[in-house]
Amino acid sequence: MDYRVIKENNLFLITDKLGNISPESGNGLYTSDTRFLSHLDIFVNGQKPILLSSSADENFVAVIRLTNPHMEQDGELILWRESVEIVRERFIYGGVLYETFRITSYYPKPVDFEFSVRMDADFADMFVIRGFQYGELGTVTGRHSGPGERTISYMGADRVTRETRIRWKGPENVVDADGTVHFRIGLSHAESTEISFVVMPVIDGAEPTLHEAPEALAKLNA
């Protein structure tokens, strides 16, 4: 199997084994036959991490372990291969996708690097993606970023408004015009940091109830 699926009720997420979504694939975050997340990529210093292990033993929780490739700049070693571990844990609860990146350094010296996350949405119809039907398409009406959040808006051909609302918490970060969030990470040996994201599909203004991730996971397992 070269993909991972988690779901709860009508919301489901399909990604590759690394946990990412390529824009040209049929993968994504779906609800009500619409794709609310069509692109998801992560990078360490601009390079894609290497897969260590990937599992989705339950329908609603997935854990993916990644590490950095060997990195040099101008002939100088920056990071040995497999010196930084990235554990991404994700689950769906109450119509919200929760994802936490736990980043730990095993490099013998203090390290400083950039961790970046790229997300986007195209609101494509699931049946159009699968080639089962054709029809009039809607329009992405805006992409807006602010401190710790990004909203992508869409007006459908059915005149229904849809939004993907993304929020995050973590170390110092900046957001590019294309929505890529860049986090500056500084870690000593065996030190960890966490970055958390939530992705909320919103249809006609009906925003799902948002919880802190530990509370949402506890409710899910209750």
Side-chain angles (χ1 to χ4, degrees), residues 19 32 53 130 181:
S32 301
S53 65
R130 293 179 176 179
V181 190

Side-chain angles (χ1 to χ4, degrees), residues 142-207:
R143 290 179 169 89
H144 304 286
S145 299
E149 63 180 12
R150 179 169 172 80
T151 298
I152 306 162
S153 306
Y154 179 85
M155 175 61 73
D158 54 6
R159 309 312 297 168
V160 174
T161 60
R162 295 170 175 86
E163 291 182 331
T164 298
R165 298 180 185 174
I166 304 166
R167 297 177 185 172
W168 58 86
K169 294 180 181 179
E172 179 183 354
N173 60 85
V174 295
V175 188
D176 283 349
D178 68 358
T180 302
V181 190
H182 302 270
F183 297 89
R184 200 71 226 169
I185 308 293
L187 296 172
S188 299
H189 174 70
E191 186 179 8
S192 299
T193 191
E194 286 192 350
I195 298 168
S196 61
F197 277 80
V198 295
V199 182
M200 297 176 287
V202 177
I203 301 174
D204 262 355
E207 182 174 310

